[in-house]
Amino acid sequence: MENQLSLQEKKTIISQFLNISFFGDVNPPEFKRLNEVEVKEFSDSFKSGILNRTEDFKPFIISSISEYISNLNESDRNKLYLMLISTANFTADTFLYNKNDDSIEEIHIGILEAIEKNQTNFFVNLFFARILTIKGGIVAYKTHYATKEWYESAIENQLKDFNELCFTN
């Protein structure tokens, strides 16, 4: 399958989801200087849903996915679908986690419906959970802030990891 998304489109999907997750807004964060470091405070939902927890991150992830998808227009939803199905992870996941013995077509229809109707779907959830699984972890400066340097490197690392799993770049 040919991946029809540009590098910038993929980066936009990743960064917008991380923006919603970390800062509660799909738009790029505005960083402020604090003690010679450019920082942005994490949203209250991120702090309570991730930083202050040691287990059960699922409710936070599901909520972030729903909020992100609700901000997408039809064109962006189609791009998300293309990005989601273009990885080797997706192909492996459909074989490993297909508990209902659905056909590939049924899985694709389920994903499209979930994205269109902003409903939960196992494969959509896995895709976004992998985006939140950042190499080196989530670094919280003074326990409440993301540094601009870390934030930018997190997006680039996730984009790089994603591209390494794509069938075509």
Side-chain angles (χ1 to χ4, degrees):
M1 181 190 60
E2 181 181 337
N3 188 343
Q4 302 171 4
L5 299 178
S6 71
L7 194 59
Q8 185 57 47
E9 288 170 320
K10 294 175 198 174
K11 185 175 183 175
T12 297
I13 290 169
I14 290 170
S15 64
Q16 286 180 339
F17 178 67
L18 292 178
N19 292 345
I20 284 275
S21 299
F22 295 153
F23 309 115
D25 188 350
V26 73
N27 297 309
E30 291 183 28
F31 290 87
K32 297 180 181 177
R33 191 162 288 286
L34 176 70
N35 298 334
E36 304 302 317
V37 179
E38 287 186 88
V39 297
K40 169 72 176 164
E41 186 169 8
F42 288 116
S43 69
D44 289 341
S45 67
F46 182 79
K47 288 187 273 189
S48 65
I50 298 288
L51 293 181
N52 298 331
R53 293 191 98 129
T54 57
E55 56 187 48
D56 196 17
F57 305 112
K58 187 176 179 179
F60 172 80
I61 294 170
I62 299 296
S63 172
S64 294
I65 293 167
S66 178
E67 185 162 348
Y68 171 68
I69 290 176
S70 72
N71 280 284
L72 299 178
N73 61 34
E74 185 177 347
S75 173
D76 290 338
R77 287 174 191 236
N78 289 334
K79 291 174 187 175
L80 170 61
Y81 169 74
L82 288 174
M83 188 168 171
L84 191 146
I85 65 167
S86 68
T87 67
N89 275 347
F90 172 73
T91 303
D93 292 343
T94 59
F95 291 109
L96 293 172
Y97 301 116
N98 186 359
K99 295 178 181 169
N100 298 330
D101 250 355
D102 293 336
S103 70
I104 294 297
E105 182 179 83
E106 290 170 317
I107 291 170
H108 281 263
I109 290 169
I111 291 168
L112 284 168
E113 286 178 352
I115 291 171
E116 181 182 320
K117 297 175 182 174
N118 198 2
Q119 299 171 338
T120 61
N121 175 284
F122 178 78
F123 298 105
V124 174
N125 295 353
L126 260 180
F127 172 78
F128 284 111
R130 286 186 174 116
I131 290 176
L132 275 176
T133 307
I134 296 171
K135 280 185 185 174
I138 296 170
V139 178
Y141 178 76
K142 296 194 176 198
T143 71
H144 296 338
Y145 302 92
T147 65
K148 185 175 184 179
E149 178 183 7
W150 173 81
Y151 168 78
E152 290 174 348
S153 71
I155 291 172
E156 291 302 321
N157 287 336
Q158 294 311 92
L159 183 61
K160 180 181 176 233
D161 287 352
F162 176 81
N163 277 329
E164 288 174 358
L165 292 171
C166 282
F167 288 121
T168 60
N169 293 323

